[in-house]
Amino acid sequence: MAEKAQKPKFREAENIVENKELNIWEALIPVFALVAMLAYNVFVFGDSAIEGSNQFILLLGGAVAAIVGFRNKVSYKQMLAEVAENVRSTTGALLILLMVGALAGTWLISGIIPAMIYYGLYILNPTIFLAACVVICAIISIATGSSWTTAATVGIALIGIGDVLGISLGMTAGAVLSGAYFGDKMSPLSDTTNLAPVMAGGELFSHIRYMALTTIPTISVTLLIFIIIGFSIESTGPTDASEILGIIGERFNINGWLFIVPIVVIFLIIKKTPPLVALLIGTLLGGVFALIFQPGIVSSLGGGNGLSFESGYKGVLNAITVETQLEAPEKYSKLFKSKGMAGMLGTIWLIVCAMVFGGIMDGIGALQRITKSLLNMAKTTFGLFASTVGSCLALNVTASDQYLALVVPGKMFAKAYEERGLAPENLSRTLEDSGTVTSVLVPWNTCGAYHSGVLGVPVIDYFAFAVFNWLSPFMTLLFAAFKIKIKQLTAK
């Protein structure tokens, strides 16, 4: 397959703003202020901080950055332009979030997600469940090239199964994301997998082969950890799943035909259909299947005594747009609830506010200054790798955007790797090992906000269990420290 056919949808011409008036300490002032304010805010509000107060703190962090910018001769117009560009770049992600909420609604009332849980309970048990989550999500993510699609489809179902089995939602979400990001990294269909070699000056499939050297050991360790957890876990769920199976069977018409819809969505993604289009089709098909297989549920949501055009229309649209809670025993109520599009608005709010902070930081030249300072600290080959990792992590925190965490260090460090006689695969691999996978560990990063919102699990709950994600930067540094598979430039 020609590389041209793999062209990703990202900002290749990302502009990196430089401000020679700004020193490193001034660039770090907004970062320190933001971290301090967020820490205090979470201390005061606890888990509810994500419901709105953290969003305002991000705006306050942006205000601090703006003050630093004004003191260093950066115009309000320039800062606002960067904010606008940042927000514009997330348009696709925000629309996907809305569509995921819609899809979850129709997949609930159609019985698709309940069917996944129903059959999953027959196959999976607490001992193998977490390791199975990693493998299942890895396969789906490799096929689709998207951790986001994986979380929005099988991820939601696996969270439900884990809840029934009495397994911590943080553990389940960590296993789901570990598998999803392994597949996202290794798939030639992934936008970040295409972006990293472009920024480093390398070639796609050479990048994937070289990346496998660190990624395979990391996912192997991850699987081993989840297997050990599985053998030691004490499930608080029912020893007999017959109760929940009976509840699902009573409320839904469960059959194999329901799996046509997720199979169609995955097929569309594999065939490079834009995710937004694939999710829209999945949502509409979910609504059609709800009318066919679950007419009673649709009718009750539409306020009718029997299924009619009006009650069917209202029932499906209600599931798509607002929170839906089907009748169920309290301990299983989460399995019969979806947020709809309205439930995604809090996550969208968080992403927009994060983009304001990241945009101002970029506009005043702080991102470039922080990255350049890290580069200047690299005196050895290991130092160069470590500086790249640090830069990616810093940008995931400060810019709140996964793509910026690849683009900015990629542009800044490419020349340094070349001068050290290092092949571009070293840089592209390090960008992925530290930029792509850690984005989901930052609550206000677009990826962290998305997955937390879709799976319904706060980042702080799954952070420790997203083993693959936090282990990847350490693995790439380990290879660099012991000079394992450090590819050198060859004369052309």
Side-chain angles (χ1 to χ4, degrees):
M1 185 180 294
E3 276 189 61
K4 189 175 179 181
Q6 315 267 357
K7 188 176 180 181
K9 300 176 180 63
F10 47 71
R11 295 175 285 170
E12 290 186 48
E14 184 70 53
N15 179 45
I16 303 173
V17 178
E18 183 175 4
N19 181 2
K20 294 181 180 179
E21 300 286 337
L22 193 73
N23 63 49
I24 182 60
W25 297 111
E26 289 174 318
L28 289 172
I29 287 173
V31 179
F32 293 147
L34 178 66
V35 171
M37 288 189 292
L38 283 173
Y40 181 74
N41 195 58
V42 171
F43 173 76
V44 173
F45 284 92
D47 290 342
S48 63
I50 199 69
E51 296 174 6
S53 56
N54 272 356
Q55 285 87 324
F56 185 68
I57 294 300
L58 283 164
L59 295 181
L60 286 180
V64 173
I67 292 171
V68 173
F70 288 136
R71 286 180 56 85
N72 285 274
K73 303 176 183 179
V74 181
S75 69
Y76 174 79
K77 184 178 180 180
Q78 180 175 324
M79 287 186 276
L80 196 61
E82 289 300 322
V83 169
E85 174 59 25
N86 262 21
V87 174
R88 185 199 65 78
S89 72
T90 63
T91 301
L94 301 183
L95 291 175
I96 286 174
L97 266 172
L98 288 175
M99 201 51 59
V100 165
L103 178 137
T106 61
W107 282 26
L108 171 65
I109 65 170
S110 64
I112 294 170
I113 291 176
M116 290 179 176
I117 296 172
Y118 187 88
Y119 291 115
L121 287 172
Y122 274 114
I123 300 170
L124 302 173
N125 63 66
T127 303
I128 67 167
F129 175 70
L130 293 173
C133 284
V134 176
V135 174
I136 291 168
C137 291
I139 293 171
I140 298 298
S141 196
I142 288 174
T144 62
S146 172
S147 60
W148 286 35
T149 301
T150 302
T153 51
V154 296
I156 294 174
L158 290 169
I159 287 288
I161 296 170
D163 196 21
V164 172
L165 294 174
I167 295 174
S168 158
L169 294 183
M171 286 185 183
T172 305
V176 166
L177 293 172
S178 290
Y181 271 82
F182 166 79
D184 194 312
K185 274 184 67 180
M186 298 304 294
S187 174
L189 302 176
S190 167
D191 52 2
T192 54
T193 306
N194 280 268
L195 175 58
V198 169
M199 290 298 105
E203 185 268 334
L204 175 62
F205 289 102
S206 177
H207 162 65
I208 292 174
R209 287 192 297 270
Y210 195 67
M211 187 166 55
L213 296 171
T214 55
T215 304
I216 299 301
T218 306
I219 197 65
S220 299
V221 173
T222 300
L223 273 171
L224 180 62
I225 289 173
F226 279 118
I227 289 170
I228 294 171
I229 292 174
F231 278 107
S232 61
I233 198 170
E234 291 185 9
S235 172
T236 58
T239 55
D240 182 2
S242 59
E243 181 184 6
I244 183 60
L245 292 174
I247 292 171
I248 294 175
E250 288 173 6
R251 286 159 175 75
F252 296 93
N253 175 14
I254 301 296
N255 58 74
W257 295 108
L258 295 170
F259 287 91
I260 291 175
V261 179
I263 289 171
V264 167
V265 172
I266 291 171
F267 174 78
L268 289 172
I269 297 293
I270 292 173
K271 300 301 289 184
K272 300 179 184 175
T273 304
L276 191 60
V277 175
L279 292 172
L280 174 60
I281 292 172
T283 298
L284 297 176
L285 285 176
V288 171
F289 273 53
L291 294 170
I292 295 172
F293 293 106
Q294 323 296 342
I297 291 176
V298 177
S299 174
S300 64
L301 288 175
N305 294 322
L307 186 62
S308 65
F309 179 82
E310 183 179 347
S311 65
Y313 175 81
K314 288 179 65 178
V316 172
L317 263 293
N318 281 335
I320 288 173
T321 55
V322 297
E323 183 178 292
T324 299
Q325 176 68 69
L326 304 182
E327 184 181 350
E330 185 176 353
K331 63 179 177 178
Y332 296 126
S333 61
K334 289 182 180 178
L335 299 180
F336 300 94
K337 178 180 179 180
S338 71
K339 298 179 180 180
M341 295 172 77
M344 294 292 118
L345 294 179
T347 303
I348 290 172
W349 182 16
L350 178 65
I351 290 173
V352 170
C353 291
M355 290 300 98
V356 171
F357 175 76
I360 296 175
M361 285 289 286
D362 192 15
I364 67 174
L367 300 185
Q368 191 270 354
R369 176 61 64 190
I370 292 170
T371 304
K372 191 172 183 179
S373 296
L374 286 169
L375 177 58
N376 291 337
M377 293 168 60
K379 305 300 181 184
T380 64
T381 297
F382 174 76
L384 184 59
F385 279 82
S387 295
T388 308
V389 170
S391 181
C392 291
L393 297 177
L395 283 159
N396 265 329
V397 172
T398 57
S400 309
D401 182 80
Q402 181 186 50
Y403 297 112
L404 280 173
L406 299 179
V407 170
V408 177
K411 286 188 174 184
M412 296 294 297
F413 284 80
K415 186 68 175 176
Y417 276 76
E418 183 181 351
E419 290 174 350
R420 295 277 174 89
L422 299 172
E425 287 85 353
N426 293 286
L427 175 56
S428 61
R429 182 179 75 181
T430 307
L431 292 175
E432 288 253 63
D433 283 344
S434 52
T436 298
V437 298
T438 61
S439 58
V440 74
L441 302 177
V442 181
W444 54 88
N445 188 286
T446 50
C447 294
Y450 172 86
H451 288 291
S452 177
V454 167
L455 298 177
V457 182
V459 173
I460 193 171
D461 288 354
Y462 69 65
F463 186 103
F465 300 106
V467 180
F468 177 80
N469 302 75
W470 56 254
L471 184 59
S472 291
F474 291 103
M475 187 64 72
T476 203
L477 289 176
L478 182 68
F479 272 58
F482 290 95
K483 299 181 180 179
I484 303 170
K485 298 295 182 180
I486 304 300
K487 188 175 183 180
Q488 303 295 314
L489 277 174
T490 56
K492 295 184 179 180

